[in-house]
Amino acid sequence: MEIEDAMPVPRSDEKRPWIPVRYLMVILAFFGFCNLYALRVNMSIAIVSMVITNSSNGESHENTGQDVCPHPNKSSSSHVVTGEFVWDSQTQGIILGSFFYGYIFTQLAGAEIAKRYGPKHPFGFSVLISGLLALLIPTAARWSTGALITIRTLQGFFQGVCFPSMHSFLGNWAPTLERTKMATIAYSGTQTGTVISLLLSGWIAEWAGWEWIFYTFGACACVWYLFWVFLAFDSPERHPSISQVERAYIVGASGKSKVVVANPSVPWRKIFLSLPVWAICVAHFGNNWGFYTLLTNLSTYFSTILHFSLKENGFLSALPYLAMAVFMPICGYFADSLRSFRVLSTTGVRKVFHVTGQLLPAVCLVSVGYVGCNSSLAVALLVLAVASSAFAQSGYQVNHVDISPNFAGILMGISNTLATVPGIVGPYVVGLITSSSLGQLEQWRLVFFISAGVYVVTAIFYAIFASGELESWERKTVRDDVEEDRETLPVYSKDPRI
């Protein structure tokens, strides 16, 4: 055992900032995730304008089924050719899924790097390098399909460290009773970036060409990195200008005692035998199956089935994620309030929120399968499906830090590795289904049913085995005689500005 430097004594006359430093860190992380997800999802809109189409409504040259919804403005004499690449449904599925070919390999590596060297630089480099690679996509696409897939795979490879790094970052900066709120603020950047990308990509493609989708978002990522590298710090202890009051509060209420085992080794065997860890992994897998299926294919569904134009497509594809971006911080605040006022235990909050965030989307997706060509109802149900999944972000998404603050990055690396499989398999499965002999409405009904089934099964597993308490192997890194009572936080910690 080693005793770390003593916590600085708070000064009562110290000036308190208008915005706490820990929330400035979270805001920077929020914009980082905005860039990461804008770079991740822009291909979903760009591919609609990249692929050769030969109809008035922008449908693919490939005829994939029998049951086609009527196009409101379709005329028999119209014939417009757009796009420049001849990619069938399966090829498009491979391109959309190629990001995850690289993403799956760097989850644990990212966690280990963040644990050894700090989370700031791994997260920052993931945004910067992904942005630089985006600038190469137009050239790669015109060179060959293989080159495009390679660039997207490399983007995924470098983005793979972002979530494990951020979990380590939050483990350093988030006090216990603000954990859900801070995590959902940071991670709501994923939805906001998705919204921005989907909204702007259609407009950019129509007015400047699809190439500028990648140029624009690649440049934004590079600009963000300049702010991150100068303003972000690994932990409160390393921040040069944080107040002593706030530093003392964060360290004292972060869930990491000041007396710990020096550089504790990762208890790999115990981690992989832990049912709460597997509950997180299964829940993460199930949530990502539905999320990635919609994220990568919603634009295609709106284009080929409901026949929305490119501008309409971008706007309507963004609506579900805009709703989710709004609901995520609200759910996080509500979840932490239930814990603070002891209405529910941490375990109860995680289970209730996660199960709600997967069963509601399942019901909505099953319903979408039966609305047929009713575009208004289909859009409304899809918006509700994605928005209601915001509840799950206050469940499994922050559960890693609950059970092991010291190894939260490692746990995120493990769960996100398994949860990347849907990103690889999902688009390919959708490509196979939508190129089958089934009618188009039947094809997409099957896609939605599979996602709903995965939601339900994984939610049940999480409800049975999840936990919000420290695992035994985490408690062994803290001396029992100095483990802090989190109900007796200092008086100064009650000031909301701290």
Side-chain angles (χ1 to χ4, degrees), residues 38-56:
L39 294 166
R40 183 182 299 198
V41 307
N42 55 19
M43 180 61 75
S44 300
I45 289 290
I47 202 168
V48 176
S49 57
M50 293 168 72
V51 176
I52 292 178
T53 57
N54 58 359
S55 68
S56 62

Side-chain angles (χ1 to χ4, degrees), residues 264-346:
S265 58
V266 181
W268 292 107
R269 182 175 178 275
K270 293 180 179 179
I271 286 175
F272 283 111
L273 291 177
S274 169
L275 276 175
V277 170
W278 280 106
I280 293 172
C281 292
V282 170
H284 202 163
F285 178 96
N287 187 267
N288 276 17
W289 184 281
F291 181 79
Y292 286 145
T293 296
L294 294 178
L295 186 66
T296 56
N297 296 285
L298 201 56
S299 299
T300 303
Y301 174 75
F302 284 154
S303 173
T304 60
I305 303 300
L306 302 183
H307 307 304
F308 291 117
S309 68
L310 193 58
K311 279 185 178 179
E312 293 171 329
N313 197 333
F315 173 73
L316 293 173
S317 296
L319 269 183
Y321 302 100
L322 176 61
M324 188 176 181
V326 172
F327 276 108
M328 273 183 67
I330 296 174
C331 290
Y333 180 83
F334 186 43
D336 277 347
S337 296
L338 291 176
R339 295 168 65 220
S340 297
F341 293 105
R342 298 186 178 184
V343 177
L344 288 173
S345 65
T346 299

Side-chain angles (χ1 to χ4, degrees), residues 6 80 98 144 187 376 383 457 471:
V80 179
S98 60
S144 71
Y187 292 135
S376 298
V383 169
V457 172
E471 284 291 272

Side-chain angles (χ1 to χ4, degrees), residues 273-283 347 350-351 355 399 403 457-469 471:
L273 291 177
S274 169
L275 276 175
V277 170
W278 280 106
I280 293 172
C281 292
V282 170
T347 300
R350 299 297 177 236
K351 289 183 176 183
V355 171
N399 202 185
I403 65 175
V457 172
T458 55
I460 292 173
F461 189 93
Y462 186 82
I464 296 173
F465 297 112
S467 172
E469 305 302 320
E471 284 291 272

